[in-house]
Coordinates of all heavy atoms in Angstrom, one line a residue:
M1 N -46.7 -93.0 -209.5 CA -45.5 -93.3 -208.7 C -45.6 -94.6 -208.0 O -45.6 -94.7 -206.8 CB -45.2 -92.2 -207.7 CG -44.6 -91.0 -208.3 SD -43.5 -90.1 -207.2 CE -44.6 -90.0 -205.8
S2 N -45.9 -95.6 -208.7 CA -46.0 -96.9 -207.9 C -44.7 -97.6 -207.9 O -44.0 -97.7 -208.9 CB -47.1 -97.8 -208.6 OG -46.6 -98.2 -209.9
V3 N -44.4 -98.1 -206.8 CA -43.2 -98.9 -206.6 C -43.5 -100.4 -206.5 O -44.5 -100.8 -205.9 CB -42.4 -98.5 -205.4 CG1 -41.6 -97.3 -205.6 CG2 -43.3 -98.3 -204.2
T4 N -42.8 -101.2 -207.2 CA -43.0 -102.6 -207.1 C -41.8 -103.3 -206.7 O -40.7 -102.9 -206.9 CB -43.5 -103.2 -208.5 OG1 -42.6 -102.8 -209.4 CG2 -44.9 -102.7 -208.8
G5 N -42.0 -104.5 -206.1 CA -40.8 -105.2 -205.6 C -41.0 -105.7 -204.2 O -42.1 -105.5 -203.6
L6 N -40.0 -106.2 -203.7 CA -40.1 -106.7 -202.3 C -39.3 -105.8 -201.4 O -38.3 -105.2 -201.7 CB -39.5 -108.1 -202.2 CG -40.3 -109.2 -203.0 CD1 -39.6 -110.5 -202.9 CD2 -41.7 -109.3 -202.5
C7 N -39.8 -105.7 -200.2 CA -39.1 -105.0 -199.1 C -37.6 -105.4 -199.0 O -37.3 -106.5 -199.0 CB -39.8 -105.2 -197.8 SG -39.0 -104.6 -196.4
E8 N -36.8 -104.3 -198.9 CA -35.4 -104.6 -198.8 C -34.9 -105.1 -197.5 O -33.8 -105.5 -197.3 CB -34.6 -103.4 -199.3 CG -34.8 -103.1 -200.8 CD -33.9 -102.0 -201.3 OE1 -32.7 -102.0 -200.9 OE2 -34.4 -101.1 -202.0
L9 N -35.8 -105.0 -196.5 CA -35.4 -105.4 -195.2 C -35.9 -106.8 -194.9 O -35.1 -107.6 -194.3 CB -36.1 -104.5 -194.1 CG -35.5 -103.0 -194.1 CD1 -36.1 -102.2 -193.0 CD2 -34.0 -103.1 -193.9
C10 N -37.1 -107.2 -195.3 CA -37.5 -108.5 -195.0 C -37.6 -109.4 -196.3 O -37.7 -110.6 -196.2 CB -38.9 -108.5 -194.3 SG -40.2 -107.8 -195.4
T11 N -37.5 -108.7 -197.4 CA -37.5 -109.4 -198.7 C -38.7 -110.4 -198.8 O -38.6 -111.5 -199.4 CB -36.2 -110.2 -199.0 OG1 -36.0 -111.2 -198.1 CG2 -35.0 -109.2 -199.0
T12 N -39.8 -110.0 -198.1 CA -40.9 -110.9 -198.1 C -42.2 -110.2 -198.6 O -42.9 -110.6 -199.4 CB -41.2 -111.5 -196.7 OG1 -40.0 -112.2 -196.3 CG2 -42.4 -112.4 -196.7
N13 N -42.4 -109.0 -198.0 CA -43.6 -108.3 -198.3 C -43.4 -107.3 -199.4 O -42.3 -106.9 -199.7 CB -44.0 -107.5 -197.0 CG -44.3 -108.4 -195.9 OD1 -44.9 -109.5 -196.0 ND2 -43.9 -108.0 -194.7
E14 N -44.5 -106.9 -200.0 CA -44.4 -105.9 -201.1 C -44.1 -104.5 -200.6 O -44.5 -104.1 -199.6 CB -45.8 -105.9 -201.8 CG -45.7 -105.7 -203.2 CD -47.0 -105.9 -203.9 OE1 -47.5 -107.1 -203.8 OE2 -47.6 -105.0 -204.5
V15 N -43.3 -103.8 -201.4 CA -42.9 -102.5 -201.1 C -44.1 -101.5 -201.1 O -45.0 -101.6 -202.0 CB -41.9 -102.0 -202.2 CG1 -41.7 -100.5 -202.1 CG2 -40.6 -102.7 -202.0
V16 N -44.1 -100.7 -200.1 CA -45.2 -99.6 -200.1 C -44.6 -98.2 -200.3 O -45.2 -97.4 -200.9 CB -46.0 -99.6 -198.8 CG1 -46.8 -100.9 -198.7 CG2 -45.1 -99.5 -197.6
D17 N -43.3 -98.1 -199.9 CA -42.7 -96.7 -200.0 C -41.2 -96.8 -199.8 O -40.7 -97.8 -199.3 CB -43.3 -95.8 -199.0 CG -43.5 -94.4 -199.6 OD1 -42.6 -94.0 -200.4 OD2 -44.4 -93.7 -199.2
G18 N -40.5 -95.7 -200.1 CA -39.1 -95.7 -199.9 C -38.8 -94.9 -198.7 O -39.4 -93.9 -198.4
C19 N -37.7 -95.2 -198.0 CA -37.2 -94.5 -196.9 C -36.7 -93.2 -197.3 O -35.9 -93.1 -198.3 CB -36.2 -95.4 -196.1 SG -35.4 -94.5 -194.8
D20 N -37.0 -92.1 -196.5 CA -36.5 -90.8 -196.9 C -35.0 -90.6 -196.5 O -34.4 -89.7 -197.0 CB -37.3 -89.7 -196.1 CG -38.7 -89.5 -196.7 OD1 -38.9 -90.0 -197.8 OD2 -39.5 -88.9 -196.1
R21 N -34.5 -91.5 -195.7 CA -33.2 -91.4 -195.3 C -32.2 -92.2 -196.1 O -31.2 -91.7 -196.6 CB -33.1 -91.7 -193.8 CG -31.8 -91.4 -193.1 CD -32.0 -91.4 -191.6 NE -30.7 -91.2 -190.9 CZ -30.0 -92.2 -190.4 NH1 -30.4 -93.4 -190.5 NH2 -28.9 -91.9 -189.7
C22 N -32.5 -93.5 -196.1 CA -31.5 -94.4 -196.8 C -32.0 -94.7 -198.2 O -31.2 -95.2 -199.0 CB -31.3 -95.6 -196.0 SG -32.7 -96.7 -195.9
G23 N -33.2 -94.4 -198.5 CA -33.7 -94.7 -199.9 C -34.1 -96.1 -200.1 O -34.5 -96.4 -201.3
R24 N -34.1 -96.9 -199.1 CA -34.4 -98.3 -199.4 C -35.9 -98.4 -199.5 O -36.7 -97.7 -198.9 CB -34.0 -99.2 -198.2 CG -32.6 -99.6 -198.3 CD -32.3 -100.6 -197.3 NE -32.2 -100.0 -195.9 CZ -31.5 -100.4 -194.9 NH1 -30.8 -101.5 -195.1 NH2 -31.4 -99.8 -193.8
L25 N -36.3 -99.4 -200.3 CA -37.8 -99.6 -200.5 C -38.2 -100.6 -199.5 O -37.7 -101.7 -199.5 CB -38.0 -100.1 -202.0 CG -37.6 -99.1 -203.0 CD1 -37.7 -99.8 -204.4 CD2 -38.3 -97.8 -203.0
V26 N -39.2 -100.3 -198.8 CA -39.6 -101.1 -197.7 C -41.1 -101.4 -197.7 O -41.9 -100.6 -198.2 CB -39.2 -100.5 -196.3 CG1 -37.7 -100.7 -196.1 CG2 -39.6 -99.1 -196.2
C27 N -41.5 -102.4 -197.0 CA -42.9 -102.8 -196.9 C -43.6 -102.0 -195.8 O -43.0 -101.3 -195.0 CB -43.1 -104.3 -196.6 SG -42.5 -104.8 -195.0
E28 N -44.9 -102.2 -195.7 CA -45.7 -101.5 -194.7 C -45.2 -101.7 -193.3 O -45.1 -100.8 -192.5 CB -47.1 -102.1 -194.8 CG -48.2 -101.2 -194.2 CD -49.6 -101.8 -194.4 OE1 -49.7 -102.9 -194.8 OE2 -50.5 -101.0 -194.3
T29 N -44.7 -103.0 -193.0 CA -44.2 -103.3 -191.7 C -42.9 -102.6 -191.4 O -42.7 -102.2 -190.2 CB -43.9 -104.8 -191.7 OG1 -45.1 -105.5 -192.1 CG2 -43.6 -105.3 -190.3
H30 N -42.1 -102.3 -192.4 CA -40.8 -101.7 -192.1 C -40.8 -100.3 -192.5 O -39.7 -99.7 -192.6 CB -39.8 -102.5 -192.9 CG -39.6 -103.9 -192.3 ND1 -40.0 -105.0 -193.0 CD2 -39.0 -104.3 -191.1 CE1 -39.7 -106.1 -192.2 NE2 -39.1 -105.7 -191.1
Y31 N -41.9 -99.7 -192.7 CA -42.0 -98.3 -193.1 C -42.8 -97.5 -192.0 O -43.9 -97.9 -191.7 CB -42.6 -98.1 -194.5 CG -42.7 -96.6 -194.9 CD1 -41.6 -96.0 -195.3 CD2 -43.9 -96.0 -194.9 CE1 -41.6 -94.7 -195.7 CE2 -44.0 -94.6 -195.3 CZ -42.8 -94.0 -195.7 OH -42.9 -92.7 -196.1
D32 N -42.2 -96.4 -191.6 CA -43.0 -95.6 -190.6 C -43.5 -94.4 -191.3 O -42.8 -93.5 -191.7 CB -42.0 -95.2 -189.5 CG -42.8 -94.4 -188.4 OD1 -43.5 -95.1 -187.6 OD2 -42.6 -93.2 -188.3
E33 N -44.8 -94.3 -191.3 CA -45.5 -93.2 -192.1 C -45.2 -91.9 -191.5 O -45.1 -90.9 -192.2 CB -47.0 -93.5 -192.1 CG -47.4 -94.5 -193.2 CD -48.9 -94.6 -193.3 OE1 -49.6 -93.7 -192.7 OE2 -49.4 -95.6 -193.9
Q34 N -45.2 -91.8 -190.2 CA -45.0 -90.5 -189.5 C -43.7 -89.9 -189.8 O -43.6 -88.7 -189.9 CB -45.2 -90.7 -188.0 CG -46.6 -91.1 -187.6 CD -46.8 -91.1 -186.1 OE1 -45.8 -91.0 -185.3 NE2 -48.0 -91.1 -185.7
T35 N -42.6 -90.6 -189.9 CA -41.3 -90.1 -190.1 C -40.9 -90.2 -191.6 O -40.0 -89.5 -192.1 CB -40.3 -90.7 -189.2 OG1 -40.3 -92.1 -189.5 CG2 -40.6 -90.5 -187.8
G36 N -41.5 -91.2 -192.3 CA -41.1 -91.4 -193.6 C -39.8 -92.2 -193.7 O -39.1 -92.3 -194.7
L37 N -39.5 -92.9 -192.6 CA -38.2 -93.7 -192.5 C -38.5 -95.1 -192.4 O -39.6 -95.5 -192.0 CB -37.4 -93.2 -191.3 CG -37.0 -91.8 -191.2 CD1 -36.3 -91.5 -189.9 CD2 -36.2 -91.3 -192.3
C38 N -37.6 -95.9 -192.8 CA -37.7 -97.3 -192.6 C -37.4 -97.6 -191.1 O -36.8 -96.8 -190.4 CB -36.7 -98.1 -193.5 SG -35.0 -97.9 -193.1
T39 N -37.8 -98.8 -190.7 CA -37.6 -99.1 -189.3 C -36.1 -99.1 -188.9 O -35.7 -98.9 -187.7 CB -38.2 -100.5 -188.9 OG1 -37.7 -101.4 -189.8 CG2 -39.7 -100.4 -189.0
D40 N -35.3 -99.4 -189.8 CA -33.8 -99.4 -189.6 C -33.3 -98.0 -189.3 O -32.6 -97.8 -188.3 CB -33.1 -99.9 -190.9 CG -32.2 -101.1 -190.6 OD1 -32.6 -101.9 -189.7 OD2 -31.2 -101.2 -191.3
C41 N -33.7 -97.1 -190.1 CA -33.3 -95.7 -189.8 C -34.0 -95.2 -188.6 O -33.4 -94.3 -187.9 CB -33.6 -94.8 -191.0 SG -32.6 -95.2 -192.5
L42 N -35.2 -95.6 -188.4 CA -35.9 -95.2 -187.2 C -35.2 -95.5 -185.9 O -35.1 -94.7 -185.0 CB -37.3 -95.8 -187.2 CG -38.4 -95.1 -186.5 CD1 -38.6 -93.7 -187.0 CD2 -39.7 -95.9 -186.5
K43 N -34.6 -96.7 -185.9 CA -33.8 -97.1 -184.8 C -32.6 -96.3 -184.6 O -32.2 -95.8 -183.5 CB -33.4 -98.6 -185.0 CG -34.4 -99.6 -184.3 CD -33.9 -101.0 -184.4 CE -34.4 -101.7 -185.6 NZ -33.8 -103.0 -185.8
E44 N -31.9 -96.0 -185.7 CA -30.7 -95.2 -185.7 C -31.0 -93.8 -185.3 O -30.2 -93.2 -184.6 CB -30.1 -95.2 -187.1 CG -29.3 -96.5 -187.4 CD -28.6 -96.4 -188.7 OE1 -28.1 -95.3 -189.1 OE2 -28.6 -97.4 -189.4
A45 N -32.1 -93.3 -185.7 CA -32.4 -91.9 -185.4 C -33.0 -91.8 -184.1 O -33.3 -90.7 -183.6 CB -33.4 -91.4 -186.5
G46 N -33.2 -92.9 -183.4 CA -33.8 -92.8 -182.0 C -35.2 -93.3 -182.0 O -35.6 -93.8 -181.0
G47 N -35.9 -93.0 -183.0 CA -37.3 -93.5 -183.1 C -38.2 -92.8 -182.1 O -39.3 -93.2 -181.8
R48 N -37.8 -91.7 -181.6 CA -38.6 -90.9 -180.7 C -38.7 -89.5 -181.0 O -37.7 -88.9 -181.6 CB -38.0 -91.0 -179.3 CG -38.7 -92.1 -178.4 CD -38.0 -92.2 -177.1 NE -37.5 -93.6 -177.0 CZ -36.2 -93.9 -177.2 NH1 -35.3 -93.0 -177.5 NH2 -35.8 -95.1 -177.1
P49 N -39.7 -88.8 -180.7 CA -39.8 -87.4 -181.0 C -38.7 -86.6 -180.2 O -38.3 -87.1 -179.2 CB -41.2 -87.0 -180.6 CG -41.8 -88.1 -179.9 CD -41.0 -89.3 -180.2
A50 N -38.4 -85.5 -180.7 CA -37.3 -84.7 -180.0 C -37.8 -84.3 -178.6 O -39.0 -84.1 -178.4 CB -37.1 -83.4 -180.9
G51 N -36.9 -84.2 -177.8 CA -37.2 -83.8 -176.4 C -37.0 -85.0 -175.4 O -36.8 -84.7 -174.2
E52 N -37.0 -86.1 -176.0 CA -36.8 -87.3 -175.1 C -35.3 -87.8 -175.3 O -34.9 -88.0 -176.4 CB -37.8 -88.4 -175.4 CG -39.2 -88.1 -174.9 CD -40.0 -89.3 -174.9 OE1 -39.5 -90.4 -174.4 OE2 -41.1 -89.3 -175.3
E53 N -34.7 -88.0 -174.2 CA -33.3 -88.5 -174.3 C -33.3 -90.0 -174.3 O -34.1 -90.7 -173.7 CB -32.5 -87.9 -173.2 CG -32.3 -86.4 -173.3 CD -31.3 -85.9 -172.3 OE1 -30.8 -86.7 -171.5 OE2 -30.9 -84.7 -172.4
D54 N -32.2 -90.5 -174.9 CA -32.1 -91.9 -174.9 C -31.4 -92.4 -173.7 O -30.2 -92.7 -173.6 CB -31.2 -92.3 -176.2 CG -31.3 -93.8 -176.5 OD1 -32.2 -94.5 -175.9 OD2 -30.5 -94.2 -177.2
V55 N -32.2 -92.5 -172.6 CA -31.6 -92.9 -171.3 C -32.1 -94.2 -170.8 O -31.7 -94.6 -169.7 CB -31.9 -91.8 -170.3 CG1 -31.2 -90.5 -170.6 CG2 -33.4 -91.6 -170.2
Q56 N -32.9 -94.9 -171.5 CA -33.4 -96.1 -171.0 C -32.4 -97.2 -171.1 O -31.6 -97.3 -172.0 CB -34.7 -96.5 -171.7 CG -34.5 -96.6 -173.2 CD -35.8 -97.1 -173.9 OE1 -36.3 -98.1 -173.6 NE2 -36.2 -96.3 -174.9
P57 N -32.3 -98.1 -170.1 CA -31.4 -99.2 -170.1 C -31.8 -100.2 -171.2 O -32.9 -100.1 -171.7 CB -31.6 -99.9 -168.7 CG -33.0 -99.4 -168.3 CD -33.2 -98.1 -168.9
D58 N -30.9 -101.0 -171.5 CA -31.1 -101.9 -172.6 C -32.2 -103.0 -172.3 O -32.0 -103.8 -171.4 CB -29.9 -102.6 -173.1 CG -29.1 -103.2 -171.9 OD1 -29.4 -102.8 -170.8 OD2 -28.2 -104.0 -172.2
G59 N -33.3 -102.9 -173.0 CA -34.4 -103.9 -172.8 C -34.5 -104.7 -174.0 O -34.0 -104.4 -175.0
P60 N -35.1 -105.8 -173.9 CA -35.3 -106.7 -175.0 C -36.1 -106.1 -176.1 O -35.9 -106.3 -177.3 CB -35.9 -108.0 -174.4 CG -36.5 -107.5 -173.1 CD -35.7 -106.4 -172.7
D61 N -37.1 -105.4 -175.7 CA -38.1 -104.8 -176.7 C -38.2 -103.3 -176.3 O -38.1 -102.9 -175.2 CB -39.4 -105.5 -176.6 CG -39.4 -106.9 -177.3 OD1 -38.8 -107.0 -178.3 OD2 -39.9 -107.8 -176.7
G62 N -38.6 -102.6 -177.4 CA -38.9 -101.2 -177.1 C -40.2 -101.2 -176.4 O -41.2 -101.9 -176.7
V63 N -40.3 -100.3 -175.4 CA -41.5 -100.3 -174.6 C -42.3 -99.0 -175.0 O -42.6 -98.1 -174.3 CB -41.2 -100.1 -173.1 CG1 -42.4 -100.5 -172.3 CG2 -40.0 -101.0 -172.7
D64 N -42.7 -99.1 -176.3 CA -43.4 -98.0 -176.9 C -44.8 -97.9 -176.3 O -45.5 -99.0 -176.2 CB -43.5 -98.1 -178.4 CG -42.4 -97.3 -179.0 OD1 -41.9 -96.3 -178.4 OD2 -42.0 -97.6 -180.2
T65 N -45.3 -96.7 -176.1 CA -46.7 -96.6 -175.6 C -47.5 -96.2 -176.8 O -48.7 -95.9 -176.6 CB -46.7 -95.6 -174.5 OG1 -46.1 -94.4 -175.0 CG2 -46.1 -96.0 -173.2
Y66 N -47.0 -96.2 -178.0 CA -47.7 -95.8 -179.1 C -48.3 -96.9 -179.9 O -48.7 -96.8 -181.1 CB -46.8 -94.9 -180.1 CG -46.2 -93.8 -179.4 CD1 -44.9 -93.7 -179.2 CD2 -47.0 -92.7 -178.9 CE1 -44.3 -92.6 -178.5 CE2 -46.5 -91.6 -178.3 CZ -45.1 -91.6 -178.1 OH -44.6 -90.5 -177.4
Q67 N -48.3 -98.1 -179.3 CA -48.9 -99.2 -180.0 C -50.4 -99.1 -180.1 O -51.1 -98.6 -179.3 CB -48.6 -100.5 -179.3 CG -47.1 -100.7 -179.2 CD -46.5 -101.2 -180.5 OE1 -47.2 -101.7 -181.4 NE2 -45.2 -101.0 -180.7
F68 N -50.9 -99.6 -181.2 CA -52.4 -99.7 -181.4 C -53.0 -100.8 -180.6 O -52.4 -101.9 -180.6 CB -52.8 -99.8 -182.8 CG -52.6 -98.5 -183.5 CD1 -51.5 -98.3 -184.4 CD2 -53.4 -97.4 -183.3 CE1 -51.4 -97.1 -185.1 CE2 -53.2 -96.2 -183.9 CZ -52.2 -96.1 -184.9
Ligands
LIG1 ZN1 -40.4 -105.6 -194.8
LIG2 ZN1 -34.0 -96.1 -194.1

């Protein structure tokens, strides 16, 4: 099951997997392994585990504490 081609979001990097939600083929950068979603859907879906409400004011960047 190898997918080839370019990421549909950045059209620059090579595809690693398809989004479980929209089906787009995305690169490593735009694919979230934990959810199986592309970063686009991740944003729409909230990008956070259940239990947390979307109450933060609009900031320029996500203030994720899950960064490596
Ligand atoms: Zn990409
Ligand atoms: Zn998607």
Side-chain angles (χ1 to χ4, degrees):
M1 284 209 307
S2 67
V3 281
T4 52
L6 297 177
C7 169
E8 294 188 41
L9 291 184
C10 63
T11 63
T12 301
N13 300 319
E14 210 169 302
V15 164
V16 291
D17 216 330
C19 171
D20 284 349
R21 190 163 176 262
C22 67
R24 274 188 290 205
L25 301 173
V26 288
C27 68
E28 199 173 17
T29 308
H30 292 106
Y31 180 75
D32 185 74
E33 279 185 16
Q34 292 190 346
T35 57
L37 302 177
C38 67
T39 52
D40 234 33
C41 290
L42 203 61
K43 266 186 268 175
E44 280 182 38
R48 261 176 242 101
E52 288 196 45
E53 290 188 355
D54 193 14
V55 291
Q56 52 176 309
D58 47 348
D61 288 314
V63 199
D64 263 337
T65 52
Y66 304 113
Q67 299 285 338
F68 285 107

